[in-house]
Amino acid sequence: MRVVVASGKGGTGKTTLATALAQVAAETQAVRVLDCDVEAPNAALFLHPQWSSGAEVTRPVPRVDAERCTACGRCAEVCRFNALAVVGGAVLVFDDLCHGCGRCTWICPEQAIHEEPLTVGRIEAGWTPEGIDLAQGLLRIGQPMGLPVLRALKHWPPTTESASVSVSARPSPWIEIRDAPPGASCPVVETLRGADAVILVTEPTAFGLHDLRQVVGIVQELGLPAWVVINRDGIGQAPIDAYCAEQGLPIALRLPLERRLAEALARGQSLLAAAPEYRPAIRHLLERLRCEVSGA
Amino acid sequence: MKEIVILSGKGGTGKTSVTAALAHQAALAQPGRWLLADADVDAANLALLLEARATVAEPFVSGAVAVIDRDTCSDCGACEAACRYEALAQIDGRWQVDPIACEGCGACLDRCPSEALSLVPQTVGTCRRSETPYGPLHHAHLNPGQENSGKLVTAVKRRARAQAEAEGCAGLLVDGPPGIGCPVIAAVSGASLALLVTEPTVSGREDLERALATVRHFRVPARICINKADLYPEGTRAIEELGAALGVATIARLPFDLSLAEALAAGRPVTAHRPEAPVSRALAALWTTLQAPLGHTAGSA
């Protein structure tokens, strides 16, 4: 079962909830966490993994052989992203604009264009002390597009061996938890693709509600079942409950606004360490997901 | 004209609340001299705090999506072989484009032997201009799930700059998106100063470091504002040290103050809603402090 934790608005508590879900799930089953917020990955700060594998992520960019190129401009003509331009009898390539579709390479009548890998980020993977298989993507500074890193992360094979924990020894089925990036554009969609269920973490403020609507739009288009978790309950008066009722979104959990919790999380404590009283509610949420999504 | 962009790396640190308060302070200090832009087009929230009204909207068309003509398609699957984005899938034996995965590159058009594919321009969102008591606001709405948010950010900034220049404004305040990718790069480009709003949490610090590296990569001078600074004093010190090591000054420490949430519920800048609140006083002082790196003397035009 693949579950995405998303929110629209940043800072609503996605990572707090995703890591708590992973820790509770790890008590009874094999758990994998993918930190899909490649621009600002934070799950590792709360789960303390030991990185044991990783790889650079590259995307293909065109390179022009000046000897063969006649500057006919066919490549610049077909590129929908304006990543190639003919300037003063030579072709200039703008790597940051290139989407790596490959079109220029096969359209070139002189076969003067080939592709080379450009490093755009990195994947890191390893085990946490409680036996969670954690992998994160890191977008390289200055690189505009996180999607290639996110796609590589989704294809990253599970880390199979752990020094202390054997995955096969776990009795219950496997769960993958994806911590989504904020917003509601392409990286969020890519995180949601291939998932089985979504948990939407929001806060009862005008911002929380506005941004929640954006993500609900995507979730509904993808036809995914979703549950809402209200964090910082009590901070505002936005009608989240009414909106959820209208959209048929069940509210699965409410976490009240407490300075004590905010302080503990600021120090890097996990939600469960700071507030173990939420463990039964989180366990209940996992059980609901298991029953209603996988039918197990 | 000066351009201040408010960023953070991590989402939810208070960028928009700070931008709204600065917009209010700018309007008090130099009425009609500052323009506002919301560059967080995925989650455009600034209008919610600025009593925005009289919105002018215009569709934003960018990029394209491939469309298959059912009558000409022979279902040979050549399109799928050409596509690098897994945007073609076979449903009941017939090939279909997943418009969400399609990046509109046109590679499938080259390979289709029956010319059954075409590219159709996409409306990915709306550019908007609203009037607010604190000056005109340029913002946008990205349709959920769309790409090209960086281009939409650029469009918002271009419109705001054009108006600011036409009206001889002193500057532009830009509420930025979270993260470090394409929309952030679009928001930072051409800015005179980046104000990074962070919080003294382990994740706030980690994400600030990456955001600062991004801002430096584009050679934009930066300053740090720590929100909820008293929540975890040790974390606040760690952020100040990180900034100092990189030569970036921390110029504001805002107290944890529920007035921010109250102002948000009221839909107003906190400095207008509760001018006497501790956080409002700190934000008013921040506006004054910001004039020096912009090359202004406090309160001058």
Side-chain angles (χ1 to χ4, degrees):
Chain A
M1 178 172 61
R2 296 182 170 92
V3 182
V4 173
V5 181
S7 72
K9 176 169 162 31
T12 57
K14 277 183 300 294
T15 305
T16 302
L17 187 81
T19 51
L21 278 171
Q23 287 172 322
V24 173
E27 292 165 4
T28 55
Q29 66 188 117
V31 182
R32 182 166 201 228
V33 172
L34 296 182
D35 193 338
C36 296
D37 188 359
V38 303
E39 295 183 39
N42 292 144
L45 294 172
F46 299 94
L47 290 175
H48 310 289
Q50 191 123 60
W51 300 126
S52 56
S53 62
E56 301 277 281
V57 178
T58 63
R59 63 180 168 91
V61 286
R63 291 292 174 256
V64 183
D65 177 353
E67 302 279 298
R68 287 187 171 184
C69 175
T70 61
C72 72
R74 198 64 191 109
C75 53
E77 218 174 279
V78 297
C79 179
R80 304 281 307 180
F81 310 108
N82 304 314
L84 301 119
V86 183
V87 181
V91 173
L92 286 185
V93 179
F94 303 101
D95 290 348
D96 283 354
L97 297 178
C98 175
H99 283 227
C101 69
R103 233 184 143 183
C104 53
T105 60
W106 63 67
I107 215 85
C108 175
E110 310 301 328
Q111 294 179 311
I113 305 180
H114 71 281
E115 292 177 300
E116 282 178 9
L118 176 79
T119 301
V120 293
R122 202 164 80 236
I123 304 291
E124 289 172 334
W127 290 92
T128 75
E130 57 274 81
I132 297 166
D133 173 12
L134 173 67
Q136 69 173 17
L138 281 160
L139 178 65
R140 192 176 202 174
I141 302 295
Q143 279 295 325
M145 277 175 270
L147 277 186
V149 182
L150 182 45
R151 289 196 186 109
L153 178 67
K154 285 172 69 181
H155 288 122
W156 188 257
T159 314
T160 46
E161 282 299 313
S162 157
S164 55
V165 189
S166 160
V167 175
S168 55
R170 300 291 170 83
S172 322
W174 174 84
I175 182 172
E176 179 179 292
I177 297 168
R178 297 179 187 168
D179 191 5
S185 61
C186 37
V188 176
V189 176
E190 187 57 42
T191 305
L192 288 165
R193 284 182 92 200
D196 303 304
V198 190
I199 296 174
L200 298 160
V201 187
T202 187
E203 58 178 40
T205 63
F207 291 176
L209 179 57
H210 176 272
D211 302 347
L212 176 66
R213 285 176 194 271
Q214 292 277 95
V215 186
V216 167
I218 306 175
V219 168
Q220 287 175 342
E221 199 176 325
L222 293 172
L224 292 170
W227 285 263
V228 172
V229 171
I230 299 182
N231 193 13
R232 300 196 190 102
D233 202 16
I235 197 177
Q237 291 102 43
I240 297 271
D241 286 65
Y243 170 74
C244 291
E246 172 199 311
Q247 297 292 321
L249 291 165
I251 295 172
L253 185 64
R254 292 171 198 270
L255 299 168
L257 173 72
E258 282 182 72
R259 185 169 171 131
R260 166 185 76 97
L261 273 187
E263 285 176 357
L265 294 167
R267 282 194 299 273
Q269 263 196 313
S270 72
L271 175 68
L272 288 177
E277 66 271 22
Y278 291 119
R279 179 179 300 267
I282 289 168
R283 164 67 53 201
H284 182 69
L285 174 54
L286 279 167
E287 293 303 327
R288 262 183 96 170
L289 283 173
R290 185 180 325 183
C291 293
E292 295 174 40
V293 179
S294 58
Chain B
M1 190 191 59
K2 302 294 178 185
E3 191 173 307
I4 307 179
V5 58
I6 291 94
L7 295 172
S8 69
K10 176 168 159 45
T13 58
K15 276 184 303 296
T16 302
S17 291
V18 169
T19 308
L22 293 179
H24 171 236
Q25 293 303 302
L28 284 180
Q30 297 170 290
R33 303 272 295 138
W34 283 80
L35 240 73
L36 315 164
D38 188 346
D40 187 3
V41 297
D42 278 34
N45 290 337
L46 187 57
L48 299 173
L49 277 186
L50 294 182
E51 302 147 79
R53 65 196 145 74
T55 296
V56 185
E58 204 181 295
F60 179 70
V61 179
S62 175
V65 68
V67 174
I68 300 179
D69 176 22
R70 282 268 68 100
D71 296 336
T72 9
C73 173
S74 65
D75 287 303
C76 68
C79 49
E80 199 268 338
C83 179
R84 291 186 173 174
Y85 311 112
E86 299 168 26
L88 287 136
Q90 220 170 3
I91 298 169
D92 299 329
R94 307 228 62 184
W95 287 98
Q96 311 239 347
V97 178
D98 174 352
I100 291 181
C102 175
E103 298 203 7
C105 69
C108 51
L109 274 70
D110 296 342
R111 297 294 171 90
C112 176
S114 31
E115 294 182 20
L117 282 143
S118 54
L119 288 177
V120 178
Q122 274 206 300
T123 301
V124 299
T126 321
C127 279
R128 292 175 176 169
R129 199 188 79 193
S130 300
E131 299 307 321
T132 84
Y134 316 99
L137 167 68
H138 288 263
H139 51 141
H141 173 82
L142 184 74
N143 295 341
Q146 286 297 345
E147 57 180 313
N148 286 326
S149 52
K151 283 190 183 166
L152 187 49
V153 169
T154 303
V156 166
K157 279 186 61 170
R158 200 173 49 230
R159 282 155 191 261
R161 279 177 184 163
Q163 190 186 358
E165 272 157 24
E167 295 178 8
C169 289
L172 179 61
L173 268 177
V174 183
D175 188 11
I180 62 165
C182 156
V184 173
I185 293 171
V188 164
S189 110
S192 335
L193 184 74
L195 179 70
L196 288 113
V197 179
T198 185
E199 55 182 32
T201 63
V202 291
S203 33
R205 184 190 177 281
E206 181 91 358
D207 299 343
L208 172 71
E209 195 167 354
R210 286 165 64 75
L212 272 177
T214 304
V215 167
R216 288 158 62 91
H217 185 88
F218 293 96
R219 300 176 196 284
V220 172
R223 296 290 186 277
I224 296 170
C225 164
I226 307 177
N227 191 13
K228 306 176 194 162
D230 53 339
L231 193 64
Y232 180 40
E234 225 171 286
T236 294
R237 270 196 303 280
I239 285 168
E240 289 172 359
E241 281 163 20
L242 168 72
L246 296 168
V248 180
T250 299
I251 58 168
R253 291 154 198 87
L254 311 178
F256 183 85
D257 185 341
L258 287 173
S259 307
L260 270 186
E262 268 176 47
L264 171 50
R268 300 183 69 200
V270 68
T271 46
H273 189 62
R274 292 259 184 279
E276 295 309 314
V279 72
S280 297
R281 291 168 179 273
L283 283 161
L286 170 61
W287 175 252
T288 309
T289 313
L290 272 174
Q291 304 313 307
L294 289 178
H296 298 161
T297 46
S300 80

